[in-house]
Amino acid sequence: MITYEWNCRTVDVYPQNEGETNVVYNVHWAVVGISQEADNESLPITAFANGTQLISVNTEVEFIPFEDLTNEIVVEWTKNAMDEEQIQSIEDVIASKIAELKNPISITMTIE
């Protein structure tokens, strides 16, 4: 089993937009997948993916001031701006990376 943790704390903002300040329009997201299985050193196996997602600047929705934003709020916005297929694709890429780390098809070794 893999747990996915989303970080959407880095954003691009419009300094001024429709009378509001620091209006988020683009999110720099990072997702870390953490496997329940451990590696040879008893550490969880992890992999990540990152990217950006444009967010609609909707004047019909109640504005949340920048200082009141949380990671949870912006993660919700980001996932809502994506479709389920895109979210699943991100998680599939991470799961594939973890699978390869568990069972590598190639390793680097040093000759002494």
Side-chain angles (χ1 to χ4, degrees), residues 83-96:
D83 58 30
E84 286 297 322
E85 186 175 304
Q86 185 177 3
I87 295 167
Q88 187 62 54
S89 176
I90 292 165
E91 292 180 356
D92 288 347
V93 165
I94 293 170
S96 177

Side-chain angles (χ1 to χ4, degrees), residues 17-73:
N17 188 60
E18 300 287 330
E20 303 292 354
T21 59
N22 299 327
V23 178
V24 175
Y25 71 90
N26 191 39
V27 177
H28 300 258
W29 55 265
V31 182
V32 176
I34 304 166
S35 174
Q36 300 299 324
E37 296 178 49
D39 64 12
N40 294 339
E41 298 173 3
S42 298
L43 298 172
I45 301 171
T46 62
F48 78 98
N50 63 340
T52 60
Q53 178 63 49
L54 291 173
I55 301 295
S56 174
V57 179
N58 188 344
T59 57
E60 297 174 12
V61 176
E62 183 177 343
F63 179 75
I64 301 174
F66 186 83
E67 57 274 5
D68 294 339
L69 292 176
T70 64
N71 185 60
E72 292 74 21
I73 291 169

Side-chain angles (χ1 to χ4, degrees), residues 107-112:
I107 58 173
T108 301
M109 299 179 71
T110 303
I111 299 171
E112 296 190 37

